[in-house]
Amino acid sequence: MGTRFAILEPLAARYADWLGRSRVDDTSEEDPDQVRAMPVVLRIEKATLPPRSELLAAAASAALAVCLDDRAAPGGQWYEPVDTWVRGRIRKVARRARGAQWRAVTELPGVTVCRGGAEVRALLPGRVVEVPREVAKLQISGTELPLDEPGPPPAGVSVLWLSPAVPMTVGKAAAQVGHATMILAALLDASGAGDELAKWAEAGFPCVVRQADKSTWADLQPGEEPERAWRSRRVAAVRDAGFTEVAPGTVTVLATWP
């Protein structure tokens, strides 16, 4: 496994077991002071709202870009915080910012991704109780954008399909699509497709987000053999832990690799 991508190895190792469980892990005894998360900051200006699908695509690419940044490779300055986070529960917390708030978070360690008219900055993960002051004052709840109609996904691009049965705020959806790109990258590397992953990284992890209809969702479902679905059809699923908005064990996103 290549050094740059090895940081996602624990995620690939857990994927099939995690998706196949009948229940999610019990977190009742988790020490709140040790809970770690990746802040994902969505730029939402009052005057010009970004298209929802573009904002989510930017969030998906940004989260993975932090994980596979050269600074997160072994020996890099980001390695320890990213590695510790990936080996635990992959939590992300999306917040919105505008104006001076946005400019402030761009000075924090992380990666900004632009997609069309949308910008998102994923920050270095860390303990929630130590979140930077510039981030702590940003709002989490109430983040919403109207559904847009971006049209059919283009050929040759990874598509992240949102469940037609699971309504999510844009903040929740941003976290879920960020999980999806991480899982895709981990499975690509683990299955020997490191060259494809390297090309994806060089291109900036392009992807698109679409709302699935019931027929598309049913056709893509991995079923009871998630590893087989990945090997035969290159479909990966995000199964939510149920900390916010949705019930534990809900599949929120199905990600396809072209």
Side-chain angles (χ1 to χ4, degrees):
M1 183 174 292
T3 299
R4 182 181 177 189
F5 306 133
I7 200 158
L8 293 179
E9 183 177 3
L11 182 58
R14 294 199 308 264
Y15 175 68
D17 172 67
W18 164 77
L19 190 62
R21 293 178 190 174
S22 59
R23 59 180 178 81
V24 296
D25 292 337
D26 180 11
T27 62
S28 60
E29 297 183 2
E30 191 173 36
D31 183 355
D33 289 341
Q34 299 304 318
V35 172
R36 293 174 180 267
M38 171 185 280
V40 179
V41 184
L42 316 175
R43 185 178 186 181
I44 303 179
E45 301 285 350
K46 277 187 175 181
T48 307
L49 295 179
R52 191 177 197 269
S53 59
E54 291 179 356
L55 192 72
L56 294 179
S61 299
L64 180 56
V66 169
C67 297
L68 298 186
D69 190 280
D70 289 340
R71 290 165 288 185
Q77 59 184 311
W78 290 3
Y79 176 74
E80 190 280 331
V82 175
D83 181 64
T84 302
W85 175 64
V86 170
R87 292 181 183 278
R89 295 185 174 92
I90 310 296
R91 289 183 173 97
K92 297 183 182 74
V93 178
R95 301 172 186 258
R96 68 179 186 270
R98 63 173 181 263
Q101 297 172 329
W102 173 256
R103 291 191 292 274
V105 298
T106 61
E107 298 298 320
L108 299 173
V111 176
T112 299
V113 170
C114 303
R115 292 285 182 265
E119 280 186 281
V120 172
R121 187 167 182 83
L123 302 177
L124 195 62
R127 296 198 302 166
V128 173
V129 294
E130 296 175 343
V131 66
R133 175 178 53 85
E134 296 91 339
V135 177
K137 64 184 181 181
L138 301 177
Q139 285 188 300
I140 300 175
S141 62
T143 301
E144 196 46 82
L145 292 171
L147 294 175
D148 56 341
E149 297 182 4
V157 177
S158 176
V159 184
L160 313 178
W161 296 96
L162 301 177
S163 170
V166 185
M168 292 182 283
T169 64
V170 71
K172 178 69 173 181
Q176 299 301 295
V177 294
H179 298 342
T181 51
M182 288 178 63
I183 291 170
L184 278 178
L187 294 178
L188 282 169
D189 199 35
S191 61
D195 289 346
E196 291 179 74
L197 179 52
K199 291 178 181 178
W200 195 27
E202 290 172 6
F205 307 108
C207 61
V208 296
V209 177
R210 294 292 186 269
Q211 186 70 48
D213 57 31
K214 291 182 179 180
S215 176
T216 299
W217 189 260
D219 289 344
L220 291 173
Q221 279 283 10
E224 297 180 359
E225 297 184 71
E227 285 186 307
R228 183 177 179 182
W230 172 252
R231 290 194 306 268
S232 63
R233 297 185 286 119
R234 287 188 161 184
V235 176
V238 176
R239 184 171 181 261
D240 192 64
F243 297 122
T244 60
E245 294 192 27
V246 304
T250 301
V251 175
T252 56
V253 181
L254 294 177
T256 61
W257 183 255

